[in-house]
Amino acid sequence: MPALIETNGITKTYASRGGLFDLLKQKKYLHALYKVSLSIEKGEVLGLVGESGSGKSTFGQCLMGLTETDDGTIRVDGGDVTHATADQVRDMRRRFQIIYQDPFASLSPRMNIRDIICEPLDIHRVGTQKERTARAAELIEIVGLRAEHLLRFPHEFSGGQRQRISIARALALNPEFILADEAVSALDVSLQAQIINLLVEMQRQFSLTMLFITHDLSVVEYLCDRVAVLYMGRVVEVGRTKDLCSNPAHPYSQVLLSAIPNIDPRRKKKRLFMRGERFSPYELPETGCVFAKRCPQGRPECAAITPKERVLPESVDHRVSCHFA
């Protein structure tokens, strides 16, 4: 069976120019994604991690059809949807849903909760008005709120409650795939735990496929089946969560994992640090590793030879792009 979603070498750049007095200057190009190839199996939760500006959200927007890629292909159920027709886009909108990072900004302040949850049903003309209201009442209770909340407005809820409403809206059309783009990063720790547990429950109950974008590897370890590590628009490591978190191969993954706080004082671990400064996203080298300037294990050949992705001998699912992994 083909993967639900498969990307092959997708690339995305953004042209940038200075202010009003720099119009005669040559355009600069920001490389947000470069030849990213990933697959998401049906029923799988794939975690996408990396520091801010690594291209995580851009990758998610390309999958959802919100941003057009410059190169590469995107396949859904084996069919090419890179340049989808209007009918294909409408079908994808029904099958694919998104949970945004900021629950307040993603909910219209002029609509009550019933209208917010029913809006996808209205657009796709699913059911009668009475059936849509019943569906909204069912979903609001599934995510831990009460039916009486349907007549309230977003500003009357806390951040965690608003994110629950966003999840209810995402589930309205019974989607196959959900993109959770930093869905818990704007919440405090106790609310994060509640929303993560809710996502786990929803994924199991509805057999959802999910792409979970975050910069918190401790969350990924609990929620995801596989993890992909992104650095400056490039995939540097992909593997099963257990394998990658227990034995990270790429130096960048090792640095990220070493930064996770340890609450047990008896368990001591070595803190790793990156050195130097990273390349400018406008001036990436044509050859060599993009992590070479910051790599704690970097060698002269890292800056001269571009590393190729290879499979580690311990596991067929663990792939890394590094000369000395």
Side-chain angles (χ1 to χ4, degrees), residues 203-232:
Q203 193 271 334
R204 292 173 180 170
Q205 182 176 349
F206 298 102
S207 300
L208 295 171
T209 304
M210 189 181 303
L211 175 64
F212 189 80
I213 295 175
T214 184
H215 57 268
D216 190 344
L217 275 166
S218 60
V219 173
V220 167
E221 193 171 1
Y222 176 73
L223 179 65
C224 302
D225 301 306
R226 284 193 307 133
V227 186
V229 183
L230 209 62
Y231 179 76
M232 297 199 76

Side-chain angles (χ1 to χ4, degrees), residues 233-279:
R234 290 160 170 80
V235 176
V236 296
E237 188 170 1
V238 185
R240 295 287 172 185
T241 304
K242 183 178 179 181
D243 296 336
L244 195 147
C245 291
S246 62
N247 187 28
H250 197 281
Y252 180 61
S253 305
Q254 294 169 4
V255 170
L256 291 179
L257 282 164
S258 74
I260 299 176
N262 187 6
I263 62 173
D264 188 350
R266 296 170 297 180
R267 295 178 58 190
K268 296 182 179 180
K269 63 180 180 180
K270 184 180 179 181
R271 179 74 168 90
L272 302 177
F273 296 92
M274 291 180 282
R275 64 181 187 182
E277 296 183 2
R278 69 177 185 176
F279 289 104

